[in-house]
Amino acid sequence: MKSYFRTIMAFLGVSILSACDVANNEQLSQNSLIYCAEGSPETFNPQLVTSGTTIDATANQIYNRLISFSRKDNSISPALAKSWHVTRDGKMITFYLRKNIAFHQTEYFTPSRTLNADDVLFSFNRILDKSHSFHYVSGGSYPFFQSVGFSDIVDSIEKINDYTIRFKLNQANSSFLANLATDFAVILSKEYGDKLSIMNKKEQIDILPIGTGPFKLKSYLSGSHIRYYKHDGYWNNEVAIEQLVFDITSSNTARLTKLLTRECDVIAYPIAQEQIIDHPHFILDEVTSFNIGYLGFNTLKPPFDNIKVRLAIAHAIDIDAIIDTVYSGLAEKATTVLPKSSWAHKKNTAFTHSKTRAKQLLNEAGYPEGFAMDIWAMPVQRAYNPNALTMAKLIQADLNEVGIKVDIVSYEWSTFLRRLRLGEHSSVLLGWSADHPDPDNFFTPLLSCAAASTGSNRTAWCNEEYDSLLQLALQTTNIAQRTNFYHQAQAIVAKELPLLPIAHSKRFQARTKKVKGQLLSSFGGINFAEVTKE
């Protein structure tokens, strides 16, 4: 699949660049907007990944979902479905689709019809049905859906008529609608899939995307740029930006330079934030994110299969120093994976920074002289961890003082993720940005047994009591009961510590004052559909 991806993209990149050099930003029209992103997407289908870089580049630009989260109050709102009905027992949800929703018309596909129920069936049955002709295209992995147990939740999906779809669930699930509103639950075109099947080019569906979203793909060159054009037939609102360019600039310094020289209108994860605030032509945007930055332990590997070793490391690390140095003080010290703003948050006792206590625990664990370990530091910047390398060096110094020798490891981002999924790490600095406000979106993807088997649980920790509490919480809509279950689950995590929560951060971006509108979401992702540029 990857070689096919490179071949297609190399062809497109060369052909487009020969016609219009993206580096020559002066030739872009006034209605174009250039966003300097921190990395290249892994795919153009958000069903296949959980990477924030890919979600930013694809989910809200190309696609829509049946339902979405309101930007005003995070409530669930209509999208491609104009309304829905849930039965009293919570086991049957019927969606009523809007009519006359147009798919993209591009150089590689011309739709003959608008969206209907067949497209919804195609999109979800691809994920659920292993005999579906597209299930194993691009690898057959759907990490978000697998991590929330989607195939166990859904019994069947039924087409009632061309504009009515019914999901039958095996049991009531209080986070089901929230899952369908995430950036991963995008609707693809069945007609496009049928055409690719005839052409024996099924892999193209995830590489040259067709959606109903505000922008359609014009060209992509990995490591260089993505160029989107406005979708003239977009159903939701008039899109003001004619051309949207993702200028892929991995260097933090280079992105800031491009903002200063006006080569970029908006940049991701800016450095020098105080200078941006003071600058007369720029704005620093921030949004309080539902996220967690953590140090995860591979609990399958010694010595991290020993709880006392994990606790010793927690006491050895000075988290306050990390908050000050890595987050410039602009983050909340975490005591659990859930931010304080979640209704299910249960504050656990923060670990006291104590070398004495750390050495005592190491001695009890059978490592009085310490040991050697590695820490994998991700090579990209994220809101939940703006500088993993610096964080790793701080931890390295702290652990050295209690006799633990640390080797800091990093790889190119896609290699990093691939080797992480294979469980090659001993420990890793990573994080999670929630996809929706339901607390299950933290607990299940990060620490459930199902997520351990799919790889999104980087600790490989699997605790049956913890998993049982999550299931009980999902089977009731009683908030008091759910809160109680989640408090018990957090207590188990605090006791066994498969990961050390470090910080809940804010996400930042910088833009010129000519760019108007809300781009960032509390739940990750960036959206240019309602943005204007003067």
Side-chain angles (χ1 to χ4, degrees):
M1 181 267 183
K2 288 183 177 178
S3 61
Y4 183 79
F5 184 91
R6 285 195 293 268
T7 302
I8 290 279
M9 292 311 161
F11 170 77
L12 278 176
V14 169
S15 64
I16 295 303
L17 285 175
S18 64
C20 179
D21 186 351
V22 72
N24 186 2
N25 293 318
E26 293 181 356
Q27 294 182 5
L28 295 174
S29 73
Q30 190 171 1
N31 286 332
S32 294
L33 188 145
I34 303 176
Y35 171 67
C36 276
E38 76 286 6
S40 299
E42 300 162 77
T43 172
F44 279 90
N45 182 355
Q47 295 175 334
L48 305 175
V49 297
T50 55
S51 154
T53 299
T54 300
I55 296 301
D56 282 352
T58 62
N60 292 301
Q61 324 316 331
I62 302 171
Y63 300 102
N64 296 116
R65 290 147 287 282
L66 289 175
I67 49 179
S68 61
F69 294 111
S70 165
R71 295 187 129 192
K72 292 181 180 178
D73 58 8
N74 295 324
S75 61
I76 293 176
S77 303
L80 295 180
K82 61 183 179 182
S83 62
W84 59 94
H85 175 264
V86 183
T87 54
R88 285 188 177 183
D89 64 3
K91 295 174 67 175
M92 197 174 295
I93 301 104
T94 305
F95 292 96
Y96 304 95
L97 304 180
R98 298 177 194 271
K99 296 181 179 178
N100 300 316
I101 301 291
F103 281 102
H104 299 155
Q105 179 170 339
T106 67
E107 295 170 359
Y108 49 89
F109 179 65
T110 300
S112 67
R113 63 166 176 80
T114 55
L115 174 133
N116 64 32
D118 292 330
D119 301 307
V120 180
L121 280 175
F122 175 80
S123 301
F124 288 106
N125 280 338
R126 175 186 178 180
I127 297 167
L128 292 167
D129 183 0
K130 292 183 179 179
S131 65
H132 190 282
S133 61
F134 276 79
H135 180 79
Y136 289 106
V137 170
S138 303
S141 178
Y142 305 89
F144 172 79
F145 297 97
Q146 290 166 331
S147 68
V148 300
F150 199 65
S151 60
D152 295 328
I153 296 170
V154 178
D155 174 70
S156 62
I157 308 174
E158 180 183 6
K159 174 183 174 180
I160 307 301
N161 59 46
D162 280 351
Y163 298 98
T164 307
I165 284 283
R166 182 169 294 154
F167 285 71
K168 294 181 179 177
L169 309 187
N170 289 311
Q171 58 186 10
N173 186 292
S174 55
S175 69
F176 182 73
L177 287 176
N179 286 332
L180 287 192
T182 63
D183 290 335
F184 310 103
V186 298
I187 303 301
L188 312 177
S189 165
K190 180 181 184 299
E191 184 184 15
Y192 183 45
D194 290 342
K195 176 187 174 184
L196 296 178
S197 294
I198 294 171
M199 297 168 63
N200 197 27
K201 293 182 177 179
K202 290 180 181 177
E203 294 86 352
Q204 189 172 305
I205 198 167
D206 303 318
I207 300 168
L208 298 178
I210 293 295
T212 58
F215 297 98
K216 58 185 180 182
L217 180 67
K218 178 63 177 176
S219 66
Y220 170 57
L221 189 62
S222 180
S224 174
H225 76 279
I226 310 166
R227 187 187 300 273
Y228 292 117
Y229 281 1
K230 168 184 173 181
H231 177 196
D232 289 323
Y234 187 49
W235 61 276
N236 195 13
N237 56 271
E238 180 64 27
V239 179
I241 301 299
E242 295 287 341
Q243 184 177 211
L244 172 64
V245 177
F246 275 55
D247 182 321
I248 298 164
T249 307
S250 58
S251 163
N252 300 336
T253 303
R255 287 200 302 278
L256 180 62
T257 301
K258 287 186 174 183
L259 180 72
L260 296 172
T261 58
R262 309 296 198 273
E263 292 179 71
C264 294
D265 298 301
V266 184
I267 64 170
Y269 307 107
I271 57 174
Q273 295 173 359
E274 292 183 1
Q275 287 80 358
I276 292 171
I277 291 172
D278 293 336
H279 198 287
H281 300 302
F282 302 131
I283 294 174
L284 181 70
D285 294 320
E286 66 175 61
V287 61
T288 301
S289 300
F290 259 42
N291 65 25
I292 177 68
Y294 64 81
L295 172 64
F297 306 104
N298 187 339
T299 59
L300 295 181
K301 285 187 175 180
F304 302 108
D305 55 348
N306 188 321
I307 292 176
K308 289 188 176 180
V309 168
R310 305 196 293 261
L311 293 172
I313 289 176
H315 281 288
I317 295 173
D318 186 350
I319 294 180
D320 289 328
I322 289 175
I323 300 289
D324 289 340
T325 304
V326 177
Y327 298 90
S328 302
L330 300 173
E332 174 187 316
K333 185 176 179 179
T335 62
T336 178
V337 295
L338 276 185
K340 283 182 182 176
S341 52
S342 171
W343 51 263
H345 172 83
K346 171 65 174 176
K347 181 180 180 181
N348 291 306
T349 303
F351 288 96
T352 305
H353 178 218
S354 170
K355 288 187 288 185
T356 301
R357 178 61 178 149
K359 288 180 178 178
Q360 179 185 356
L361 284 164
L362 286 175
N363 190 50
E364 293 175 8
Y367 297 94
E369 305 301 324
F371 52 84
M373 62 176 283
D374 61 53
I375 292 178
W376 286 29
M378 59 184 190
V380 297
Q381 194 176 20
R382 287 288 180 275
Y384 54 71
N385 191 336
N387 194 330
L389 183 58
T390 295
M391 188 183 290
K393 290 178 178 177
L394 292 172
I395 293 174
Q396 182 184 48
D398 285 338
L399 296 187
N400 186 55
E401 293 186 8
V402 298
I404 300 174
K405 307 300 180 187
V406 172
D407 183 24
I408 299 173
V409 175
S410 194
Y411 299 99
E412 180 274 331
W413 185 223
S414 61
T415 303
F416 186 93
L417 291 175
R418 178 176 57 79
R419 300 185 72 154
L420 200 61
R421 279 195 295 272
L422 295 173
E424 296 181 7
H425 60 294
S426 295
S427 70
V428 61
L429 287 169
L430 208 61
W432 177 258
S433 293
D435 312 296
H436 57 69
D438 194 285
D440 183 72
N441 193 241
F442 278 89
F443 295 123
T444 293
L446 281 180
L447 289 166
S448 70
C449 295
S453 63
T454 61
S456 68
N457 175 354
R458 311 298 188 180
T459 73
W461 179 73
C462 177
N463 182 296
E464 292 182 0
E465 183 182 2
Y466 171 86
D467 262 28
S468 175
L469 289 165
L470 299 191
Q471 292 305 313
L472 290 171
L474 288 174
Q475 290 168 19
T476 176
T477 56
N478 184 305
I479 292 297
Q481 290 179 0
R482 294 191 74 197
T483 301
N484 180 40
F485 291 135
Y486 287 136
H487 283 185
Q488 293 181 59
Q490 286 170 88
I492 293 173
V493 174
K495 180 181 177 183
E496 298 210 0
L497 207 70
L499 56 78
L500 174 64
I502 294 176
H504 308 290
S505 74
K506 295 181 178 180
R507 177 172 177 173
F508 295 92
Q509 71 179 13
R511 58 185 163 99
T512 71
K513 289 186 175 179
K514 291 183 176 182
V515 177
K516 309 290 185 183
Q518 182 181 352
L519 286 80
L520 294 178
S521 162
S522 300
F523 309 113
I526 188 168
N527 191 335
F528 292 93
E530 300 178 9
V531 171
T532 62
K533 180 182 172 185
E534 294 178 347

